[in-house]
Amino acid sequence: MAVGKITFTKTEREKLAEVLWLLNWISVLTGVILFGLGLFLKIEIQKWQEVMSEQGILYVPHMLITTGLAACGINYLGSKICLDCADTNKFLRWKLVMMPYIVCTFCFTACVLAGALLCYTIRSQLEQSLYLGLRSAMRFYKDTDTPGRCYLKKTLDMLQIQFQCCGNTDYRDWFHIQWISSRYLDMTNSAVVDRVRSNVEGKYLMDSVPFSCCSTLSSSPCIQHNLSNPAAHRHYDQQSQQLNLWRRGCQQALLDHYTGIMQSIALTVLLIWLFELLVLTGVRYLQTAMENVIRLGDPESESEGWILENSLAETACYNFNIIKNLGKCYQVDEDPNINIPTAAADQEVPPLQVRVSVTS
């Protein structure tokens, strides 16, 4: 039994072809939107790629860009096909192309859905990438004179100022790394020497943070040093100090930033997928309805169109048998009589003698 069977008159078939022609052109625009969303996401990720441990998450914008370009090409071809399918004679030119076109469109629609789902599921991978990348970048914050790392200080400072964050998970992360270059340490000062010697790795660690951690919302001067010792500051107020530094970690700030972008893109891509699924369904109805008209031999008659000619179970079983039979085509039968000469083959065939009469 056919799934989704509908009867179409000649007028309805022509109307369906015209509507699908218009929808395919709209789908070309949605392909441009997909391309633009992928390009925008790629640019946003590359803005802070220096604080990410890997660039594996770039496969999401690359997939959106590729899918957008494919949408433009496939739907442009679809608009041409649907316009010609209004006429039975013109449909014959596309009859052999229709099924491969529908299969390609189905695969493309599945890629659109996959792109939407990836935008929702990439959060955990992005979180891990940001954590490891920020930890590595903070470790090289002081290396302003090292090639390849000289811009990390500027990048981290701009990140903390723009996103109003401090450290990886919070401002105390700066306490566990040496973020001041050894060039600026006064090694003649006994206090500096004692602090370096007291560390197993010979690092100059302090309970202080860079200037970019200072909150611009605070009316009092920023307290950057001796943060673990409230008694070191006159008129120290714990509540005021909480407003003095950015309390949120940069990992969470960037994660929230990218999550908001991903969710907006995922919702847009999901709507595009639903629209493409509608167009694919309409093309399938048009194909089956026109093929049935050709079988009937009367272009003016009514014809039936469907999504699947048989039920889902029968269609799945039929396709499974096709795949199974394809594997058998490459199997060689183990016949014990192969390559064994027969008695008939051993007999020599006498040559054909032709008599030629000679006349003088």
Side-chain angles (χ1 to χ4, degrees), residues 87-113:
D87 186 358
T88 307
N89 295 325
K90 293 182 178 180
F91 173 76
L92 293 173
R93 296 184 303 181
W94 298 102
K95 183 180 178 181
L96 298 178
V97 182
M98 285 294 289
M99 183 52 70
Y101 167 76
I102 290 176
V103 173
C104 291
T105 306
F106 178 79
C107 295
F108 151 72
T109 307
C111 290
V112 175
L113 178 60

PDB file of all heavy atoms in Angstrom, residues 87-113:
ATOM      1  N   ASP A  87       4.993  20.152 -18.150  1.00  0.00           N
ATOM      2  CA  ASP A  87       4.665  19.620 -19.470  1.00  0.00           C
ATOM      3  C   ASP A  87       5.122  18.160 -19.536  1.00  0.00           C
ATOM      4  O   ASP A  87       6.255  17.833 -19.179  1.00  0.00           O
ATOM      5  CB  ASP A  87       5.364  20.448 -20.548  1.00  0.00           C
ATOM      6  CG  ASP A  87       4.939  20.043 -21.951  1.00  0.00           C
ATOM      7  OD1 ASP A  87       4.139  19.096 -22.080  1.00  0.00           O
ATOM      8  OD2 ASP A  87       5.408  20.673 -22.913  1.00  0.00           O
ATOM      9  N   THR A  88       4.233  17.294 -20.003  1.00  0.00           N
ATOM     10  CA  THR A  88       4.555  15.863 -20.070  1.00  0.00           C
ATOM     11  C   THR A  88       5.717  15.594 -21.005  1.00  0.00           C
ATOM     12  O   THR A  88       6.590  14.768 -20.714  1.00  0.00           O
ATOM     13  CB  THR A  88       3.320  15.075 -20.530  1.00  0.00           C
ATOM     14  OG1 THR A  88       2.211  15.408 -19.698  1.00  0.00           O
ATOM     15  CG2 THR A  88       3.586  13.577 -20.433  1.00  0.00           C
ATOM     16  N   ASN A  89       5.747  16.267 -22.142  1.00  0.00           N
ATOM     17  CA  ASN A  89       6.826  16.040 -23.106  1.00  0.00           C
ATOM     18  C   ASN A  89       8.184  16.468 -22.551  1.00  0.00           C
ATOM     19  O   ASN A  89       9.194  15.783 -22.754  1.00  0.00           O
ATOM     20  CB  ASN A  89       6.526  16.790 -24.409  1.00  0.00           C
ATOM     21  CG  ASN A  89       5.287  16.246 -25.107  1.00  0.00           C
ATOM     22  OD1 ASN A  89       5.019  15.044 -25.065  1.00  0.00           O
ATOM     23  ND2 ASN A  89       4.515  17.128 -25.747  1.00  0.00           N
ATOM     24  N   LYS A  90       8.215  17.591 -21.845  1.00  0.00           N
ATOM     25  CA  LYS A  90       9.480  18.051 -21.259  1.00  0.00           C
ATOM     26  C   LYS A  90       9.905  17.180 -20.082  1.00  0.00           C
ATOM     27  O   LYS A  90      11.096  17.040 -19.795  1.00  0.00           O
ATOM     28  CB  LYS A  90       9.357  19.503 -20.810  1.00  0.00           C
ATOM     29  CG  LYS A  90       9.195  20.489 -21.965  1.00  0.00           C
ATOM     30  CD  LYS A  90       9.133  21.911 -21.438  1.00  0.00           C
ATOM     31  CE  LYS A  90       9.015  22.914 -22.582  1.00  0.00           C
ATOM     32  NZ  LYS A  90       8.948  24.307 -22.094  1.00  0.00           N
ATOM     33  N   PHE A  91       8.913  16.583 -19.412  1.00  0.00           N
ATOM     34  CA  PHE A  91       9.241  15.718 -18.275  1.00  0.00           C
ATOM     35  C   PHE A  91      10.044  14.500 -18.712  1.00  0.00           C
ATOM     36  O   PHE A  91      10.879  13.986 -17.957  1.00  0.00           O
ATOM     37  CB  PHE A  91       7.957  15.276 -17.571  1.00  0.00           C
ATOM     38  CG  PHE A  91       8.180  14.247 -16.493  1.00  0.00           C
ATOM     39  CD1 PHE A  91       8.707  14.609 -15.266  1.00  0.00           C
ATOM     40  CD2 PHE A  91       7.883  12.902 -16.711  1.00  0.00           C
ATOM     41  CE1 PHE A  91       8.928  13.665 -14.276  1.00  0.00           C
ATOM     42  CE2 PHE A  91       8.098  11.958 -15.740  1.00  0.00           C
ATOM     43  CZ  PHE A  91       8.627  12.335 -14.511  1.00  0.00           C
ATOM     44  N   LEU A  92       9.794  14.015 -19.942  1.00  0.00           N
ATOM     45  CA  LEU A  92      10.509  12.845 -20.433  1.00  0.00           C
ATOM     46  C   LEU A  92      12.020  13.069 -20.477  1.00  0.00           C
ATOM     47  O   LEU A  92      12.801  12.127 -20.340  1.00  0.00           O
ATOM     48  CB  LEU A  92       9.990  12.467 -21.830  1.00  0.00           C
ATOM     49  CG  LEU A  92       8.541  11.957 -21.876  1.00  0.00           C
ATOM     50  CD1 LEU A  92       8.091  11.775 -23.310  1.00  0.00           C
ATOM     51  CD2 LEU A  92       8.401  10.663 -21.091  1.00  0.00           C
ATOM     52  N   ARG A  93      12.440  14.330 -20.650  1.00  0.00           N
ATOM     53  CA  ARG A  93      13.871  14.622 -20.676  1.00  0.00           C
ATOM     54  C   ARG A  93      14.503  14.466 -19.296  1.00  0.00           C
ATOM     55  O   ARG A  93      15.699  14.200 -19.172  1.00  0.00           O
ATOM     56  CB  ARG A  93      14.114  16.038 -21.189  1.00  0.00           C
ATOM     57  CG  ARG A  93      13.669  16.259 -22.633  1.00  0.00           C
ATOM     58  CD  ARG A  93      14.034  17.641 -23.108  1.00  0.00           C
ATOM     59  NE  ARG A  93      13.456  18.679 -22.262  1.00  0.00           N
ATOM     60  CZ  ARG A  93      13.612  19.990 -22.488  1.00  0.00           C
ATOM     61  NH1 ARG A  93      14.354  20.404 -23.509  1.00  0.00           N
ATOM     62  NH2 ARG A  93      13.060  20.871 -21.685  1.00  0.00           N
ATOM     63  N   TRP A  94      13.704  14.662 -18.250  1.00  0.00           N
ATOM     64  CA  TRP A  94      14.213  14.620 -16.884  1.00  0.00           C
ATOM     65  C   TRP A  94      13.846  13.332 -16.153  1.00  0.00           C
ATOM     66  O   TRP A  94      14.200  13.172 -14.979  1.00  0.00           O
ATOM     67  CB  TRP A  94      13.668  15.802 -16.082  1.00  0.00           C
ATOM     68  CG  TRP A  94      14.072  17.132 -16.588  1.00  0.00           C
ATOM     69  CD1 TRP A  94      13.326  18.004 -17.315  1.00  0.00           C
ATOM     70  CD2 TRP A  94      15.338  17.770 -16.406  1.00  0.00           C
ATOM     71  NE1 TRP A  94      14.026  19.136 -17.606  1.00  0.00           N
ATOM     72  CE2 TRP A  94      15.286  19.030 -17.055  1.00  0.00           C
ATOM     73  CE3 TRP A  94      16.526  17.411 -15.768  1.00  0.00           C
ATOM     74  CZ2 TRP A  94      16.338  19.916 -17.083  1.00  0.00           C
ATOM     75  CZ3 TRP A  94      17.585  18.281 -15.786  1.00  0.00           C
ATOM     76  CH2 TRP A  94      17.489  19.520 -16.443  1.00  0.00           C
ATOM     77  N   LYS A  95      13.142  12.419 -16.825  1.00  0.00           N
ATOM     78  CA  LYS A  95      12.622  11.239 -16.137  1.00  0.00           C
ATOM     79  C   LYS A  95      13.731  10.425 -15.485  1.00  0.00           C
ATOM     80  O   LYS A  95      13.618  10.000 -14.323  1.00  0.00           O
ATOM     81  CB  LYS A  95      11.829  10.378 -17.122  1.00  0.00           C
ATOM     82  CG  LYS A  95      11.197   9.156 -16.456  1.00  0.00           C
ATOM     83  CD  LYS A  95      10.412   8.332 -17.457  1.00  0.00           C
ATOM     84  CE  LYS A  95       9.824   7.093 -16.772  1.00  0.00           C
ATOM     85  NZ  LYS A  95       9.070   6.240 -17.711  1.00  0.00           N
ATOM     86  N   LEU A  96      14.814  10.193 -16.196  1.00  0.00           N
ATOM     87  CA  LEU A  96      15.910   9.399 -15.652  1.00  0.00           C
ATOM     88  C   LEU A  96      16.730  10.154 -14.611  1.00  0.00           C
ATOM     89  O   LEU A  96      17.471   9.549 -13.839  1.00  0.00           O
ATOM     90  CB  LEU A  96      16.824   8.926 -16.792  1.00  0.00           C
ATOM     91  CG  LEU A  96      16.175   8.007 -17.835  1.00  0.00           C
ATOM     92  CD1 LEU A  96      17.181   7.670 -18.923  1.00  0.00           C
ATOM     93  CD2 LEU A  96      15.643   6.738 -17.179  1.00  0.00           C
ATOM     94  N   VAL A  97      16.593  11.478 -14.597  1.00  0.00           N
ATOM     95  CA  VAL A  97      17.372  12.302 -13.659  1.00  0.00           C
ATOM     96  C   VAL A  97      16.629  12.497 -12.347  1.00  0.00           C
ATOM     97  O   VAL A  97      17.246  12.770 -11.307  1.00  0.00           O
ATOM     98  CB  VAL A  97      17.686  13.668 -14.300  1.00  0.00           C
ATOM     99  CG1 VAL A  97      18.529  14.538 -13.377  1.00  0.00           C
ATOM    100  CG2 VAL A  97      18.399  13.477 -15.623  1.00  0.00           C
ATOM    101  N   MET A  98      15.304  12.317 -12.360  1.00  0.00           N
ATOM    102  CA  MET A  98      14.489  12.661 -11.202  1.00  0.00           C
ATOM    103  C   MET A  98      14.865  11.857  -9.955  1.00  0.00           C
ATOM    104  O   MET A  98      15.038  12.424  -8.878  1.00  0.00           O
ATOM    105  CB  MET A  98      13.005  12.459 -11.532  1.00  0.00           C
ATOM    106  CG  MET A  98      12.409  13.532 -12.421  1.00  0.00           C
ATOM    107  SD  MET A  98      12.365  15.144 -11.606  1.00  0.00           S
ATOM    108  CE  MET A  98      11.099  14.877 -10.392  1.00  0.00           C
ATOM    109  N   MET A  99      14.975  10.536 -10.101  1.00  0.00           N
ATOM    110  CA  MET A  99      15.267   9.716  -8.920  1.00  0.00           C
ATOM    111  C   MET A  99      16.651  10.011  -8.342  1.00  0.00           C
ATOM    112  O   MET A  99      16.786  10.188  -7.125  1.00  0.00           O
ATOM    113  CB  MET A  99      15.114   8.235  -9.258  1.00  0.00           C
ATOM    114  CG  MET A  99      15.329   7.326  -8.049  1.00  0.00           C
ATOM    115  SD  MET A  99      14.316   7.780  -6.605  1.00  0.00           S
ATOM    116  CE  MET A  99      12.691   7.322  -7.196  1.00  0.00           C
ATOM    117  N   PRO A 100      17.727  10.084  -9.153  1.00  0.00           N
ATOM    118  CA  PRO A 100      19.022  10.486  -8.567  1.00  0.00           C
ATOM    119  C   PRO A 100      18.976  11.873  -7.933  1.00  0.00           C
ATOM    120  O   PRO A 100      19.618  12.105  -6.901  1.00  0.00           O
ATOM    121  CB  PRO A 100      19.973  10.461  -9.772  1.00  0.00           C
ATOM    122  CG  PRO A 100      19.353   9.506 -10.728  1.00  0.00           C
ATOM    123  CD  PRO A 100      17.880   9.676 -10.561  1.00  0.00           C
ATOM    124  N   TYR A 101      18.210  12.773  -8.539  1.00  0.00           N
ATOM    125  CA  TYR A 101      18.085  14.118  -7.968  1.00  0.00           C
ATOM    126  C   TYR A 101      17.414  14.053  -6.597  1.00  0.00           C
ATOM    127  O   TYR A 101      17.848  14.722  -5.648  1.00  0.00           O
ATOM    128  CB  TYR A 101      17.289  15.012  -8.915  1.00  0.00           C
ATOM    129  CG  TYR A 101      16.835  16.304  -8.284  1.00  0.00           C
ATOM    130  CD1 TYR A 101      17.725  17.346  -8.072  1.00  0.00           C
ATOM    131  CD2 TYR A 101      15.514  16.465  -7.877  1.00  0.00           C
ATOM    132  CE1 TYR A 101      17.312  18.522  -7.473  1.00  0.00           C
ATOM    133  CE2 TYR A 101      15.094  17.640  -7.278  1.00  0.00           C
ATOM    134  CZ  TYR A 101      15.995  18.671  -7.079  1.00  0.00           C
ATOM    135  OH  TYR A 101      15.579  19.824  -6.478  1.00  0.00           O
ATOM    136  N   ILE A 102      16.355  13.255  -6.472  1.00  0.00           N
ATOM    137  CA  ILE A 102      15.647  13.140  -5.195  1.00  0.00           C
ATOM    138  C   ILE A 102      16.547  12.499  -4.140  1.00  0.00           C
ATOM    139  O   ILE A 102      16.557  12.919  -2.974  1.00  0.00           O
ATOM    140  CB  ILE A 102      14.343  12.339  -5.382  1.00  0.00           C
ATOM    141  CG1 ILE A 102      13.335  13.165  -6.179  1.00  0.00           C
ATOM    142  CG2 ILE A 102      13.744  11.933  -4.045  1.00  0.00           C
ATOM    143  CD1 ILE A 102      12.053  12.446  -6.511  1.00  0.00           C
ATOM    144  N   VAL A 103      17.335  11.504  -4.534  1.00  0.00           N
ATOM    145  CA  VAL A 103      18.253  10.864  -3.582  1.00  0.00           C
ATOM    146  C   VAL A 103      19.312  11.855  -3.101  1.00  0.00           C
ATOM    147  O   VAL A 103      19.616  11.941  -1.905  1.00  0.00           O
ATOM    148  CB  VAL A 103      18.917   9.633  -4.232  1.00  0.00           C
ATOM    149  CG1 VAL A 103      20.007   9.070  -3.324  1.00  0.00           C
ATOM    150  CG2 VAL A 103      17.875   8.560  -4.525  1.00  0.00           C
ATOM    151  N   CYS A 104      19.872  12.637  -4.028  1.00  0.00           N
ATOM    152  CA  CYS A 104      20.867  13.657  -3.647  1.00  0.00           C
ATOM    153  C   CYS A 104      20.254  14.712  -2.745  1.00  0.00           C
ATOM    154  O   CYS A 104      20.874  15.158  -1.775  1.00  0.00           O
ATOM    155  CB  CYS A 104      21.453  14.301  -4.899  1.00  0.00           C
ATOM    156  SG  CYS A 104      22.507  13.209  -5.872  1.00  0.00           S
ATOM    157  N   THR A 105      19.020  15.107  -3.059  1.00  0.00           N
ATOM    158  CA  THR A 105      18.335  16.103  -2.231  1.00  0.00           C
ATOM    159  C   THR A 105      18.070  15.553  -0.836  1.00  0.00           C
ATOM    160  O   THR A 105      18.174  16.271   0.161  1.00  0.00           O
ATOM    161  CB  THR A 105      17.018  16.530  -2.890  1.00  0.00           C
ATOM    162  OG1 THR A 105      17.288  16.967  -4.225  1.00  0.00           O
ATOM    163  CG2 THR A 105      16.372  17.670  -2.123  1.00  0.00           C
ATOM    164  N   PHE A 106      17.720  14.275  -0.754  1.00  0.00           N
ATOM    165  CA  PHE A 106      17.490  13.644   0.550  1.00  0.00           C
ATOM    166  C   PHE A 106      18.775  13.637   1.378  1.00  0.00           C
ATOM    167  O   PHE A 106      18.754  13.941   2.584  1.00  0.00           O
ATOM    168  CB  PHE A 106      16.967  12.229   0.349  1.00  0.00           C
ATOM    169  CG  PHE A 106      16.742  11.484   1.632  1.00  0.00           C
ATOM    170  CD1 PHE A 106      15.608  11.715   2.400  1.00  0.00           C
ATOM    171  CD2 PHE A 106      17.677  10.555   2.086  1.00  0.00           C
ATOM    172  CE1 PHE A 106      15.408  11.025   3.595  1.00  0.00           C
ATOM    173  CE2 PHE A 106      17.486   9.876   3.273  1.00  0.00           C
ATOM    174  CZ  PHE A 106      16.342  10.111   4.026  1.00  0.00           C
ATOM    175  N   CYS A 107      19.891  13.275   0.746  1.00  0.00           N
ATOM    176  CA  CYS A 107      21.175  13.274   1.457  1.00  0.00           C
ATOM    177  C   CYS A 107      21.557  14.687   1.901  1.00  0.00           C
ATOM    178  O   CYS A 107      22.058  14.887   3.015  1.00  0.00           O
ATOM    179  CB  CYS A 107      22.262  12.690   0.566  1.00  0.00           C
ATOM    180  SG  CYS A 107      22.033  10.947   0.158  1.00  0.00           S
ATOM    181  N   PHE A 108      21.309  15.665   1.029  1.00  0.00           N
ATOM    182  CA  PHE A 108      21.598  17.055   1.383  1.00  0.00           C
ATOM    183  C   PHE A 108      20.739  17.503   2.560  1.00  0.00           C
ATOM    184  O   PHE A 108      21.216  18.171   3.486  1.00  0.00           O
ATOM    185  CB  PHE A 108      21.355  17.940   0.157  1.00  0.00           C
ATOM    186  CG  PHE A 108      20.937  19.341   0.476  1.00  0.00           C
ATOM    187  CD1 PHE A 108      21.841  20.248   0.990  1.00  0.00           C
ATOM    188  CD2 PHE A 108      19.628  19.756   0.278  1.00  0.00           C
ATOM    189  CE1 PHE A 108      21.458  21.543   1.303  1.00  0.00           C
ATOM    190  CE2 PHE A 108      19.237  21.040   0.586  1.00  0.00           C
ATOM    191  CZ  PHE A 108      20.154  21.933   1.099  1.00  0.00           C
ATOM    192  N   THR A 109      19.452  17.114   2.546  1.00  0.00           N
ATOM    193  CA  THR A 109      18.552  17.485   3.652  1.00  0.00           C
ATOM    194  C   THR A 109      19.015  16.849   4.957  1.00  0.00           C
ATOM    195  O   THR A 109      18.936  17.476   6.027  1.00  0.00           O
ATOM    196  CB  THR A 109      17.119  17.033   3.322  1.00  0.00           C
ATOM    197  OG1 THR A 109      16.736  17.541   2.046  1.00  0.00           O
ATOM    198  CG2 THR A 109      16.141  17.557   4.355  1.00  0.00           C
ATOM    199  N   ALA A 110      19.521  15.611   4.887  1.00  0.00           N
ATOM    200  CA  ALA A 110      20.062  14.961   6.086  1.00  0.00           C
ATOM    201  C   ALA A 110      21.284  15.700   6.612  1.00  0.00           C
ATOM    202  O   ALA A 110      21.482  15.818   7.832  1.00  0.00           O
ATOM    203  CB  ALA A 110      20.409  13.508   5.770  1.00  0.00           C
ATOM    204  N   CYS A 111      22.105  16.236   5.708  1.00  0.00           N
ATOM    205  CA  CYS A 111      23.281  17.022   6.129  1.00  0.00           C
ATOM    206  C   CYS A 111      22.862  18.312   6.824  1.00  0.00           C
ATOM    207  O   CYS A 111      23.525  18.759   7.771  1.00  0.00           O
ATOM    208  CB  CYS A 111      24.156  17.334   4.922  1.00  0.00           C
ATOM    209  SG  CYS A 111      25.018  15.905   4.245  1.00  0.00           S
ATOM    210  N   VAL A 112      21.787  18.924   6.354  1.00  0.00           N
ATOM    211  CA  VAL A 112      21.282  20.136   7.004  1.00  0.00           C
ATOM    212  C   VAL A 112      20.850  19.818   8.433  1.00  0.00           C
ATOM    213  O   VAL A 112      21.158  20.563   9.378  1.00  0.00           O
ATOM    214  CB  VAL A 112      20.112  20.731   6.197  1.00  0.00           C
ATOM    215  CG1 VAL A 112      19.506  21.921   6.940  1.00  0.00           C
ATOM    216  CG2 VAL A 112      20.588  21.179   4.816  1.00  0.00           C
ATOM    217  N   LEU A 113      20.137  18.703   8.610  1.00  0.00           N
ATOM    218  CA  LEU A 113      19.718  18.294   9.950  1.00  0.00           C
ATOM    219  C   LEU A 113      20.936  17.987  10.825  1.00  0.00           C
ATOM    220  O   LEU A 113      20.967  18.364  12.005  1.00  0.00           O
ATOM    221  CB  LEU A 113      18.811  17.068   9.855  1.00  0.00           C
ATOM    222  CG  LEU A 113      18.330  16.484  11.190  1.00  0.00           C
ATOM    223  CD1 LEU A 113      17.528  17.510  11.975  1.00  0.00           C
ATOM    224  CD2 LEU A 113      17.508  15.229  10.957  1.00  0.00           C
TER     225      LEU A 113
END
